[in-house]
Amino acid sequence: STSTRTAAPLPHLSQRSGIIRTRDAMSGGVIDKRLAEIGIAIPPSAAPAANYVPFRRLGSTVYISGQIAKCGDGSLLTGKLGANCDLDAGRAAARQCALNLIGQMREACGGDLDRVKAIVEVKAFVNATEDFTQHPQVVNGCSDLLVEVFGAEVGAHSRFAVGCSSLPLGVAVEVGAVIEIHGEP
């Protein structure tokens, strides 16, 4: 069962229960070593909750479905920016979405995150009140982590950050992405 909680800044992620280090992260390439150095463990990729696929590959381009702010222990970072969720909590939710995106990237790359050639675009939705205007600052939680993990050359991306009146399961943020990868599936 999935529990919910209001989004709050995340504790040191490598110490969170429910987040596992995969065999690839223990032995791996440059990106896995960087993740280990900065103390970040990537949660297992989530299965789709409805009639869609978590990602679709067309040639070297991978389209990743929206990832919600779901933690490795199954809890959700919920809330509405401008009402019961502050900017720091929104950034933490966007960061969690980025971790989930990286989990899907790992799946799309057959376990090897070094195959990510470019994060092309990030598409972000922020659950917010009508008068909330700091959507870009919230989504920086996602963008900053992607650049920290992959470096500016691969991790810098185009993006949009928009507000909406609600998101699935009441989560604070949902983020999808388009990436380019090296090699065959």
Side-chain angles (χ1 to χ4, degrees):
S1 87
T2 301
S3 62
T4 62
R5 63 183 183 208
T6 300
L10 298 175
H12 193 270
L13 293 170
S14 64
Q15 297 174 4
R16 292 184 56 78
S17 64
I19 296 179
I20 61 171
R21 292 187 187 275
T22 65
R23 178 177 47 83
D24 297 304
M26 298 294 196
S27 63
V30 173
I31 300 302
D32 287 317
K33 288 177 183 163
R34 184 172 301 136
L35 286 165
E37 286 170 7
I38 58 181
I40 293 177
I42 302 303
S45 57
N51 189 16
Y52 65 92
V53 294
F55 60 86
R56 169 73 73 188
R57 181 174 175 177
L58 296 172
S60 64
T61 304
V62 178
Y63 299 84
I64 302 173
S65 297
Q67 301 297 301
I68 61 173
K70 185 174 185 179
C71 299
D73 63 5
S75 64
L76 301 170
L77 300 179
T78 61
K80 185 177 284 285
L81 279 290
N84 61 355
C85 185
D86 67 20
L87 189 58
D88 287 338
R91 278 192 205 111
R95 181 181 171 90
Q96 185 62 48
C97 292
L99 292 169
N100 295 336
L101 283 172
I102 295 169
Q104 295 295 350
M105 289 178 204
R106 178 175 273 151
E107 288 289 324
C109 291
D112 183 3
L113 287 170
D114 288 347
R115 290 181 57 202
V116 176
K117 183 176 181 181
I119 298 172
V120 178
E121 182 181 36
V122 165
K123 304 171 278 188
F125 299 90
V126 178
N127 186 356
T129 59
E130 187 176 302
D131 60 342
F132 184 78
T133 60
Q134 296 178 293
H135 309 91
Q137 291 87 341
V138 169
V139 179
N140 283 344
C142 174
S143 295
D144 292 348
L145 181 65
L146 293 174
V147 170
E148 181 180 7
V149 169
F150 291 97
E153 187 172 319
V154 172
H157 50 270
S158 67
R159 77 171 194 199
F160 66 75
V162 297
C164 53
S165 62
S166 69
L167 285 172
L169 306 174
V171 294
V173 181
E174 180 173 1
V175 182
V178 178
I179 66 169
E180 185 178 6
I181 63 175
H182 297 283
E184 296 300 315

